[in-house]
Amino acid sequence: MLQIPGATDYIGCIGKDKFGEEMKKNSKAAGVNVQYLEDETAPTGTCAVCVVGGERSLIANLSAANCYKSEHLKKPENWALVEKAKYFYIAGFFLTVSPESIQLVAEHAAAKNKVFSMNLSAPFICEFFKDAQEKALPYMDFVFGNETEARTFSKVHGWETDDVAEIALKISQWPKASGTYKRTTVITQGADPVIVAEDGKVKQFPVILLPKEKLVDTNGAGDAFVGGFLSQLVQGKSIEDCVRAGCYASNVIIQRSGCTYPEKPEFK
């Protein structure tokens, strides 16, 4: 979305194999600077995808993705990337892998007044990794998620509400580790409006509606939304522009097979 090679860094874990090489090659081609920990024994993580009528089911074999160690993050050349970055985004899935790495980045962001954001990622994260998620939550300036994840979060915390706007508001009011930024909660709801809660108020933004016959597969829709959103946030744009960019990016990705996108964005 930024069209600036090297503006983003990405850290994670892969195996020493063909898929790992493919990951490096494709990331580089997309202008992302990757610093992977390469695990000696586990192969690169893979995922089987079944798409029926635009709806997808996934079965992941996390493999090397599950092997990330904070020692890699602490290496001077990698920590230098953390020092250099102004915005951080970590998927909630990573709570199952290396909460210590998350804590290191979160505390750095709070100490240096940088923006730290995470994703609820999946209902099972909210349910079975509740403690790790709660530990990271005070550091989150932006919390992303979808309506199912938000409702699971509410249920797990005994809030007794299914109202997504109310849940988003409650998440935004969760205590914060640093007072530099107020927390913003952004919840997507498929074809329904995006809900944004900040500063005690809730706003709703309509998404770009897509005719059913144009929907190819929903893979990567949530990630594309966050990518689009952050592409404007890092440029100091308004929340409205951030949501518009998020909706644009997810609208593009669901009209293509897999997690692919055209060479250049047409976002204005």
Side-chain angles (χ1 to χ4, degrees):
M1 285 289 281
L2 286 172
Q3 295 290 296
I4 304 166
T8 53
D9 297 308
Y10 185 87
I11 292 178
C13 187
I14 57 172
K16 294 192 162 179
D17 52 21
K18 188 170 112 287
F19 285 137
E21 288 307 312
E22 202 63 26
M23 294 273 287
K24 288 194 282 195
K25 191 182 85 193
N26 284 295
S27 302
K28 204 173 168 187
V32 181
N33 172 33
V34 290
Q35 293 298 329
Y36 289 122
L37 166 60
E38 295 186 23
D39 193 272
E40 297 292 335
T41 52
T44 300
T46 48
C47 189
V49 184
C50 175
V51 180
V52 180
E55 295 297 329
R56 55 44 194 293
S57 296
L58 309 175
I59 298 198
N61 173 23
L62 296 171
S63 195
N66 230 358
C67 301
Y68 190 80
K69 305 283 182 289
S70 59
E71 288 72 44
H72 177 262
L73 181 64
K74 291 174 189 165
K75 281 185 173 171
E77 64 271 31
N78 295 327
W79 190 255
L81 301 176
V82 175
E83 294 277 359
K84 206 172 75 173
K86 297 186 181 78
Y87 293 82
F88 300 99
Y89 172 71
I90 303 180
F93 293 120
F94 201 60
L95 287 164
T96 72
V97 179
S98 180
E100 193 197 343
S101 299
I102 295 176
Q103 206 61 24
L104 286 169
V105 174
E107 286 172 6
H108 167 83
K112 303 283 186 195
N113 297 328
K114 295 175 175 183
V115 177
F116 181 78
S117 48
M118 283 191 73
N119 205 309
L120 299 177
S121 283
F124 84 87
I125 299 286
C126 303
E127 284 183 281
F128 304 114
F129 294 87
K130 177 173 175 262
D131 296 347
Q133 192 177 53
E134 280 184 9
K135 199 176 169 200
L137 192 56
Y139 295 93
M140 298 181 206
D141 299 306
F142 285 85
V143 176
F144 296 94
N146 65 27
E147 75 279 43
T148 322
E149 293 150 9
R151 289 189 174 118
T152 304
F153 189 95
S154 169
K155 194 176 93 198
V156 166
H157 290 90
W159 288 350
E160 294 182 352
T161 177
D162 260 350
D163 183 327
V164 177
E166 192 185 335
I167 297 163
L169 197 57
K170 287 180 96 112
I171 293 173
S172 73
Q173 290 165 340
W174 193 282
K176 279 198 93 239
S178 145
T180 312
Y181 309 103
K182 293 191 171 85
R183 183 179 301 109
T184 303
T185 307
V186 184
I187 306 293
T188 59
Q189 311 187 88
D192 293 326
V194 176
I195 288 178
V196 178
E198 57 173 353
D199 221 359
K201 292 187 277 293
V202 175
K203 287 183 183 151
Q204 302 205 13
F205 300 91
V207 303
I208 311 160
L209 292 176
L210 190 71
K212 191 94 176 104
E213 64 276 8
K214 278 193 162 177
L215 175 71
V216 177
D217 95 57
T218 54
N219 262 318
D223 294 318
F225 177 87
V226 176
F229 187 101
L230 294 175
S231 75
Q232 303 308 297
L233 185 74
V234 302
Q235 297 179 72
K237 299 285 170 65
S238 70
I239 290 292
E240 195 170 352
D241 282 342
C242 293
V243 172
R244 239 172 16 91
C247 291
Y248 161 79
S250 53
N251 181 267
V252 167
I253 225 158
I254 62 177
Q255 295 183 64
R256 300 166 71 96
S257 180
C259 304
T260 64
Y261 34 81
E263 200 56 37
K264 291 223 180 322
E266 287 172 12
F267 179 73
K268 298 285 180 286

